[in-house]
Amino acid sequence: MDERSLPDANLPPFEGGRSLLLGGAAAGAAGLLLTLIGGFIAPKAALYSYLIAFDYWLGLSLGALALVMAHNVAGARWNVVIRRLGETIAAAVPLFIVLFVPLLLGARYVWIWIDPPQELAKETLRLLQYKKPYLNFNFFLARAVIYFVVWSALALLLRAWSVRQDESGEALLTRRQRKLSAPGLVLLILTATFASFDWLMSLQPAWFSTIFGLYVFTGGFVGSLALLCLIVTGLRSGDSALGKIISADHQHNLGKLLLAFVCFWAYMAFSQYMLIWAGNLPDEVTWIVARSRGVWRPVGILILLGHFLVPFFLLLSRDLKRSRQGLAAVAAWMLVIHYIDLYWIVMPASSLDGLGLHWTHLTAFIGVGGASVAAAVFLLRGVRPLPVRDPYLEDSLRYVQP
Amino acid sequence: MAESALQARRELDPLPLIEGRHDDGTLNKTLLDYVWQRPQPGWLTLFFIGMGGTGLLLAGIAVTLAKGIGMWGNNIPVAWAFGIINFVWWIGIGHAGTLISAILLLFQQKWRTSINRFAEAMTLFAVMQAGLFPVLHLGRPWFAYWLFPYPSTNSIWPQFKSPLMWDVFAVSTYFTTSLLFWYLGLIPDLASLRDASAKRSTRFIYGVFAIGWRGSARHWHHYKIAYLLLAGLATPLVLSVHTIVSWDFALSILPGWHTTIFPPYFVAGAVFSGFAMVLTLMVPARRFLKLKHVITLRHLEAMSKVMLLTGLIVAYGYLMEHFIAWYSGDEFESHVFFQTRARGPYRGIYYLMIFCNIVVPQSFWFPWARRNVFYLWIASVLINVGMWCERFVIVVTSLHQDFIPANWAMYYPTWVDFSLLFGTIAFFGTLFLLFLKYLPAVAATELKELRHELEHEWLEGAKR
């Protein structure tokens, strides 16, 4: 091995990001306030906008949590220099407990099964009566409590142990992170699956799909990989100390993961679409019919092209994955198309006219997003921007593509 | 590196990948030399048992061809039974080889090196067994070439809308790629065998298959590129094969078959059973071929973890199926899962499936289970049994009680069904024994490379 000198990774606690913190908090407050006003004017439209924004940003946090845990379980070493970023994004999860309250207050505007209108068809009412043991407000609330407890506990514990290791360097803390991550992944996948059933699938309470949980979760996971790519390319383009430590090889690995999970997402989406389309059973196919007719048809085609075909061929390029501008552009686009995908999942269920465009989509997105960004930056300030005493830090610094 | 970090690493580092100190000479000796030795009595005994079983397979095939597939137990309504169960089971077993050789290569997992050759060979032999069943089920296998789309005077084209047709393309592509991948990896080792041959005849045979390999930098350069490209190609292929197998079922509208989770859940189940089969074969092989220094407890532990992961995905699939069967409010779905499967006449197989596929792998959460070789072997056999039961449950229970009670009927396999199943197991074993005898079961060249890397790392660490 060549005797290239390793960069000094013993970075001091992060003190920057002040403008991002304040800007995020201000945008968050303004966006949430405007969405609240929108909620008084047009409750249904505003709540649907808010639901998409909520699931979008929450999905990014949960995706980052899954990535951190998967690396812990696998005993990965290359990722140490970027692990703190993932831990920080994941640790923003408790914020969403507060942000969930508006959805609870307006639940009956969003989920038709909470208070089914009597003019629904008799079969539908009977079906909702049948599903009542699962689809009732109290149990819905209890499940949400469980989800948030599990997610917050996992994200906060993993971050806390990792931060504590910055001081002590104990091997025990690495072992704890690994030991928690294995059952943690099981819990995360189960809770995220049922959360997607509760919050998204039950928007059309007669519809069902066994792969839906994985499909929604994979969407968020792709989003969080894209977010990490964007942050890493941004850091490497700027003059931050962390940006000098993260090498093109680390960025390349993130790009490869993005490529793999763009494919995996397409696999989920295609499995769901093709099997339901081919089966053509009235109970199931309504979901697809609603999303492939009229104004939704071009949106669906856009998702096929933009969420899979185009990024797939672009990301095949090794040069692109190692280029800061190139990967940043694809990652930014993935974050846009992920929103469109969620929009396509949620909005056709709203029975609002056309695409259901409403100004609260913008305010809700900025509101929830600003608050999440502010929370993440707040968590990063005052701690080291990478796990400086991780036993495998040196492996990560030395990492080169084979 | 700081002293504290080194201390922490000593506590955390996993078990070694290669036990003991070796150089290229000792590795050559331990990994290649047994090819020259005379067969052991144990090997011969197993080989004759395998040949006997293969005779049973031939008898089953002869009866099927002479009298027709009426000799099998399947009939309306259970028109698909052992044929497709065994096909799916064998194809699934094959998946582990490709996962180890291709996907773990892309994930830069070093532990794959000692076991990839072995697992790839298993893939090829398993796919051969799998291919027998649909061909025999054609009824007139001598027309099997009609499955391929070629312009013929009959003007008969295959039904492109059927996933069974896609199986033909997927499986044949998969087999070709796996064969190329396996052979490419073998070339440097075949050259080693050629160079070490004492007899002219063996030197000639190994020399032909080594296609002029001299180990020059140019050869290695091309070899590495080809290997990585084949790995990249094999990865989507291995996912596609079991995905399409799952579509054989999911594309229909039969309760218990038509569900969207099938593709990922089938792929995970395939890898699950494949790893179990690798362990079933490897635990005795590493002992009798004296390979414990390169197939260490670290490898067995890593493989048990993969089985735990894929077993959990399979359990997730079961959970989703059962939950949605209730949640959908569809009475046929509920009937299949909560009556036919859980309380019907085949419930014994259903509960055996739950025990083997869900309960048994949970023991792999604990290190004692992952490191106890005897326990691992028992568990791996149970998992293979469980995965066979899963296919039985899926295929037979959904068919034997469909929408109309007047259609319901029981299914009983015949002796021909059983002789085909056990015959393929014996044939598989025979092929495997031949592989162990005539080819290096561990990728010796790759292992030498790995030893170099590990030694380098060790020296680096010692310097600091």
Side-chain angles (χ1 to χ4, degrees), chain A residues 355-377:
Chain A
L355 290 170
L357 289 173
H358 194 258
W359 55 271
T360 49
H361 282 296
L362 192 65
T363 59
F365 185 81
I366 293 174
V368 180
S372 331
V373 170
V377 175

Side-chain angles (χ1 to χ4, degrees), chain B residues 35 41 55 81 126 133 194 204 227 266 288 290 312 324 342 356 363 396 413 430 440 459:
Chain B
V35 172
F133 290 96
R194 173 197 64 200
F204 179 75
Y227 204 72
F266 262 53
F288 292 118
K290 302 192 181 63
L312 285 168
I324 295 288
C356 293
S363 59
V396 174
T430 310
L459 286 175

Side-chain angles (χ1 to χ4, degrees), chain A residues 136-397:
Chain A
N136 65 74
F137 187 75
N138 290 336
F139 192 25
F140 173 85
L141 183 62
R143 286 195 302 271
V145 171
I146 295 172
Y147 306 151
F148 283 116
V149 167
V150 168
W151 299 336
S152 308
L154 288 173
L156 294 179
L157 274 175
L158 287 174
R159 177 176 173 277
W161 288 335
S162 177
V163 168
R164 203 191 303 166
Q165 199 180 38
D166 291 350
E167 304 309 319
S168 72
E170 280 175 280
L172 176 72
L173 291 165
T174 300
R175 188 167 294 147
R176 269 193 202 161
Q177 291 172 49
R178 290 181 180 176
K179 281 215 161 141
L180 179 67
S181 292
L185 272 175
V186 176
L187 288 174
L188 173 64
I189 296 294
L190 284 177
T191 46
T193 297
F194 284 97
S196 72
F197 287 173
D198 290 359
W199 302 342
L200 297 175
M201 195 165 88
S202 81
L203 289 170
Q204 273 166 277
W207 183 73
F208 51 88
S209 165
T210 42
I211 207 175
F212 189 74
L214 287 182
Y215 169 61
V216 170
F217 187 75
T218 309
F221 192 69
V222 170
S224 70
L225 281 172
L227 180 62
L228 272 175
C229 285
L230 203 59
I231 294 172
V232 161
T233 49
L235 284 172
R236 295 188 64 234
S237 302
D239 54 359
S240 67
L242 184 58
K244 296 201 171 53
I245 290 170
I246 301 174
S247 69
D249 295 300
H250 298 121
Q251 179 191 323
H252 189 174
N253 267 4
L254 277 175
K256 286 197 265 189
L257 280 173
L258 186 61
L259 169 64
F261 281 90
V262 161
C263 298
F264 192 72
W265 175 89
Y267 180 55
M268 297 288 132
F270 183 70
S271 297
Q272 174 166 291
Y273 186 93
M274 200 276 278
L275 289 175
I276 292 177
W277 168 80
N280 206 16
L281 293 171
D283 285 352
E284 293 178 324
V285 85
T286 44
W287 196 84
I288 284 183
V289 169
R291 282 160 185 76
S292 49
R293 296 250 168 99
V295 288
W296 294 108
R297 191 181 178 83
V299 181
I301 293 170
L302 176 69
I303 292 170
L304 170 66
L305 292 172
H307 209 310
F308 175 59
L309 285 174
V310 174
F312 170 72
F313 283 108
L314 288 175
L315 286 169
L316 281 179
S317 157
R318 182 186 168 95
D319 291 343
L320 183 133
K321 282 178 288 207
R322 295 179 75 89
S323 138
R324 287 182 296 237
Q325 294 85 355
L327 188 65
V330 175
W333 167 249
M334 288 316 295
L335 285 168
V336 172
I337 196 75
H338 174 46
Y339 181 82
I340 297 176
D341 181 40
L342 272 177
Y343 195 96
W344 182 77
I345 292 173
V346 170
M347 288 311 284
S350 69
S351 66
L352 294 167
D353 288 339
L355 290 170
L357 289 173
H358 194 258
W359 55 271
T360 49
H361 282 296
L362 192 65
T363 59
F365 185 81
I366 293 174
V368 180
S372 331
V373 170
V377 175
F378 177 76
L379 285 170
L380 194 60
R381 279 166 64 90
V383 299
R384 313 270 191 157
L386 78 168
V388 286
R389 292 192 66 187
D390 187 287
Y392 294 106
L393 177 62
E394 197 173 316
D395 295 70
S396 183
L397 293 173

Side-chain angles (χ1 to χ4, degrees), chain A residues 193 210 267 284 392 395 399, chain B residues 9 13 108 243 258-259 316:
Chain A
T193 297
T210 42
Y267 180 55
E284 293 178 324
Y392 294 106
D395 295 70
Y399 180 77
Chain B
R9 290 170 71 110
D13 273 345
Q108 301 166 13
T243 297
H258 178 72
T259 183
Y316 178 89

Side-chain angles (χ1 to χ4, degrees), chain B residues 20-91:
Chain B
R21 305 277 295 153
H22 293 275
D23 56 36
D24 287 0
T26 57
L27 283 179
N28 256 351
K29 214 172 171 52
T30 48
L31 301 181
L32 299 176
D33 266 14
Y34 66 83
V35 172
W36 310 120
Q37 286 155 13
R38 292 184 70 81
Q40 305 283 319
W43 185 91
L44 282 172
T45 317
L46 285 174
F47 183 71
F48 284 117
I49 296 174
M51 288 300 275
T54 308
L56 191 66
L57 173 68
L58 292 176
I61 293 176
V63 171
T64 308
L65 294 187
K67 295 205 168 180
I69 48 173
M71 294 303 288
W72 298 4
N74 39 337
N75 209 331
I76 301 300
V78 186
W80 257 6
F82 264 43
I84 194 117
I85 295 168
N86 298 340
F87 165 73
V88 179
W89 188 61
W90 277 118
I91 272 281

Side-chain angles (χ1 to χ4, degrees), chain B residues 313-332:
Chain B
I313 301 175
V314 168
Y316 178 89
Y318 294 166
L319 176 69
M320 285 304 114
E321 281 184 322
H322 285 80
F323 174 73
I324 295 288
W326 172 82
Y327 176 88
S328 67
D330 182 316
E331 54 185 304
F332 299 110

Side-chain angles (χ1 to χ4, degrees), chain B residues 410-421:
Chain B
M410 288 294 288
Y411 162 77
Y412 302 104
T414 65
W415 70 269
V416 182
D417 283 315
F418 281 114
S419 52
L420 287 176
L421 172 61

